[in-house]
Amino acid sequence: MQNLLYFDICAIPIFLMILITVFVRKMTKGMTNRFFIALIVLSTIAAVSDVIMELACKTLPLSDTRLFVSDVFIYLYYVSRAGSVYIYFFFVFSITGTWYRVRPIIQKILCSIPFAAQLTLFAANPFTGMIFTVTAEDGYRRGGYIMLSYGISMMYALVGTLYLIWCRRLLRKQKLLSLISLYIFTAGAALFQFFFPHFLVEMIATAISFILVILFVLRPEEISDASVGSLSYRAYRTDLRKILMTKQRIQIAAVRFVNAYELRAYMGQDGYLNYMSHIIQQLNALFRKERVFFDIYYEDPANIYIIIEDTDYDVKECVKRFYGEFSRKSEKEVSASSRVIPKVCRIMLPDDLDDFDEIIRLGHEFADQMPPNQLYTDASEIMSSRDYLILSHMDIILNRAIQDRKFEMYYQPIYSFKRGKFISAEALIRLFDDEYGYVSPGLFIPAAERKGAILPIGDFVLEEVHKFISEHDLAELGLDYIEINLSVAQCLQEELPEKLAFLSEKYGVSPEQINLEITETTYENVSGVMDINLQVLSGMGYTFSLDDYGTGYSNMQRVSKLPLKMIKLDKSLVDDMRSDDGMLIMRNTVKMMRDIDKELVAEGVETKENLDHLESMGCHFIQGYYFSKPLSVKDFVSFVKRYNVGKGA
Ligand code: C2E
Ligand code: CA
Ligand code: CA
């Protein structure tokens, strides 16, 4: 019989191992983890007491010492056992993300009354012997009320199990089963032990279910982001789902660092993460001082989300104070040039939004909708903006547009200084939606790229431009060629040369009448296919422009190696000519590009002043509102006819 004791002795090293694991894996922060630690500690005490009690009975001679020892450890055993069932009850609320249900003080007191009654029974036992007695004559004897104590523990277990089943949708199946297993295993073992008191299997059963919990439920790699010392983005998504399912009212302060990518490039990955963890530490300190319940999550590299449980808490006021404090402090630590620019959007759940994908998207996109120097906004404000409305209906808009061929091509004339007239035009796509009106390509092109709808749009553009050239005699209009924007996806299409050859044949358009615009981001993704496409198309007689030069990380060496005829200087470079530095940069850029034999188009020229400067610097072509906005076919044709007529070649 005595051998059976070993089951429970085995439980002790298992508990200790779990405890060590918890600390090694740094699972010590947060309520859930702290409950779990309390559980293991209580269970270890119970197991140790259990074993000592048994050993005392078996080995010590019957004496007062033996009685005293077993007395003490029996109490320890009962209290820690009952305590762990009580703690596990709260652990269940914490792990399901529904802690708010028991957080109010009244709820906590109500949940604790049975446990308090249990403790009172234990405390009274020395005088009443209601639960057990230990005497020299009879040894250990159960008292009449032991069933009451068991009953209370069973009640906690039953309510806990039912609660887990009730909110089963909040947990994945394996997690749910692991959590319930603790109840099933211990209840089974306790029952077994009740009828066969010599089989000490209760603690080993608990130990096994703790192993399941640590393997399947508490996975720190899913929850915390060690690189910055906060909760992870994955945890944010999990917690957000739980909050939405339980319709809990909370607010989220979504923070977006609008210059995160530049900062990271400047500081290096390690420096950047250090800086982020410094910010997160400060946020932690701030909210702790504010005495609100909060959690901070980090999404590399540009987002932090703070979930605040108190919906009355004034986030806007707090943001203001944080900016004040933080910029003063960080002034000393980082140079002004490398300071983050955080923008904050407050989302009220579920009032503002109750859809998971929309909340995630808003967190990523709200900053794009804010004016440059505005730092705080409410979700409701962003969501009522026209761009946001369009973006959130982009799927419908794009499907509708592709199906009904709702697109139209506009043409923006390009002026040549040397020839004193317009020599080409850029084809720019337009979309007029029946419901939302004009939808800017700046909005729908990136969306179409993300959603994989860019190829049919690109095909439409190619076809329309070829049709335009075939229907209008370019030479008669005084134009040499039309520029077409190619998206990344189009450049990576193996059949692109075939497509162009087919259209060229069908519409009788020669490759010299087409110039293809690619962007730096396009050729950064150089793949074999793209290289081959550029080569083959150049061989066929098509020319290429590099679009938006000056917005990315321009690399002269790469520029000089690609088969590019023209460089299009981005509007931002032109706008910067207001300052002396900007002027200098433009002058040098033009000179440099001319030195490597590139032709230059300045985009977004709006003023006579800039036009004159660009001419004196040696820029070849001008595109911009100064001459004309993009025009419909009809307007464009009459515009160039009027201007180009009699201007010779
Ligand atoms: P982009 O290729 O850089 O086109 C130039 C943009 O600058 C056009 O905007 C044009 O209307 C605008 N622009 C030209 N001159 C001025 C000026 O003086 N002042 C100002 N403020 N703006 C000026 P748009 O048409 O809204 O197009 C935006 C972007 O959408 C384009 O930038 C291009 O990246 C993309 N896109 C437009 N059409 C197509 C297309 O057919 N295919 C592809 N793949 N992308 C397109
Ligand atoms: Ca372009
Ligand atoms: Ca451009």
Side-chain angles (χ1 to χ4, degrees), residues 321-520:
R321 237 172 323 122
F322 186 71
Y323 279 132
E325 261 176 56
F326 185 74
S327 50
R328 209 167 356 93
K329 274 191 201 149
S330 62
E331 203 99 35
K332 295 173 215 136
E333 284 152 43
V334 282
S335 69
S337 60
S338 62
R339 201 180 306 137
V340 280
I341 305 170
K343 296 204 171 200
V344 180
C345 175
R346 186 197 59 175
I347 313 169
M348 292 290 227
L349 261 54
D351 302 2
D352 286 340
L353 274 175
D354 59 2
D355 179 79
F356 178 80
D357 292 323
E358 292 245 338
I359 296 169
I360 295 289
R361 198 160 57 79
L362 184 67
H364 292 152
E365 289 174 4
F366 75 89
D368 305 338
Q369 317 281 319
M370 290 165 75
N373 41 25
Q374 187 187 330
L375 293 174
Y376 173 86
T377 185
D378 283 327
S380 50
E381 210 174 300
I382 293 287
M383 285 171 357
S384 61
S385 81
R386 190 171 168 273
D387 279 4
Y388 188 82
L389 196 73
I390 289 176
L391 274 174
S392 48
H393 295 89
M394 197 52 93
D395 279 334
I396 309 172
I397 297 176
L398 280 176
N399 281 340
R400 211 161 32 206
I402 292 171
Q403 228 155 54
D404 308 345
R405 294 176 69 93
K406 274 276 150 61
F407 301 105
E408 198 181 322
M409 292 317 292
Y410 270 44
Y411 295 86
Q412 186 176 29
I414 296 174
Y415 180 82
S416 159
F417 283 120
K418 194 166 135 202
R419 290 162 59 194
K421 63 163 196 166
F422 297 99
I423 49 97
S424 68
E426 175 171 4
L428 293 158
I429 194 164
R430 293 293 175 258
L431 167 54
F432 300 95
D433 184 74
D434 290 340
E435 196 177 341
Y436 297 96
Y438 171 68
V439 180
S440 150
L443 284 181
F444 76 79
I445 294 283
E449 270 165 359
R450 279 198 299 273
K451 294 173 200 292
I454 192 72
L455 288 178
I457 299 178
D459 289 347
F460 171 89
V461 173
L462 290 178
E463 177 111 31
E464 282 300 294
V465 174
H466 279 80
K467 205 192 283 173
F468 170 82
I469 299 175
S470 77
E471 287 170 1
H472 301 85
D473 187 350
L474 283 195
E476 203 175 288
L477 292 174
L479 302 175
D480 294 345
Y481 56 90
I482 301 289
E483 303 201 340
I484 299 179
N485 289 286
L486 283 187
S487 67
V488 183
Q490 280 176 294
C491 294
L492 293 174
Q493 259 190 319
E494 264 174 56
E495 57 273 26
L496 183 66
E498 272 167 60
K499 240 180 213 174
L500 280 162
F502 171 77
L503 289 170
S504 153
E505 173 87 25
K506 178 174 170 192
Y507 290 101
V509 171
S510 81
E512 289 73 33
Q513 293 177 301
I514 303 258
N515 177 276
L516 300 165
E517 291 191 12
I518 58 172
T519 55
E520 285 185 89

Side-chain angles (χ1 to χ4, degrees), residues 42-43 74 76 84 192 208 215 217 220 245 331 340 343 352 405 430 440 512 569 581 647:
L42 285 173
S43 305
I74 288 173
L76 260 181
S84 62
F192 187 78
I208 290 169
L215 280 179
V217 186
M245 252 179 232
E331 203 99 35
V340 280
K343 296 204 171 200
D352 286 340
R405 294 176 69 93
R430 293 293 175 258
S440 150
E512 289 73 33
L569 305 169
D581 283 353
K647 295 265 162 73

Side-chain angles (χ1 to χ4, degrees), residues 236-275:
Y236 172 64
R237 297 174 64 99
T238 311
D239 291 355
L240 192 58
R241 282 216 167 84
K242 284 178 187 165
I243 290 165
L244 290 172
M245 252 179 232
T246 56
K247 302 203 167 48
Q248 194 189 347
R249 300 175 61 82
I250 53 117
Q251 45 181 338
I252 301 172
V255 184
R256 179 149 183 109
F257 302 111
V258 286
N259 57 343
Y261 291 90
E262 290 89 333
L263 264 188
R264 193 172 57 174
Y266 173 76
M267 295 175 148
Q269 177 72 1
D270 288 353
Y272 182 74
L273 286 178
N274 269 340
Y275 187 39

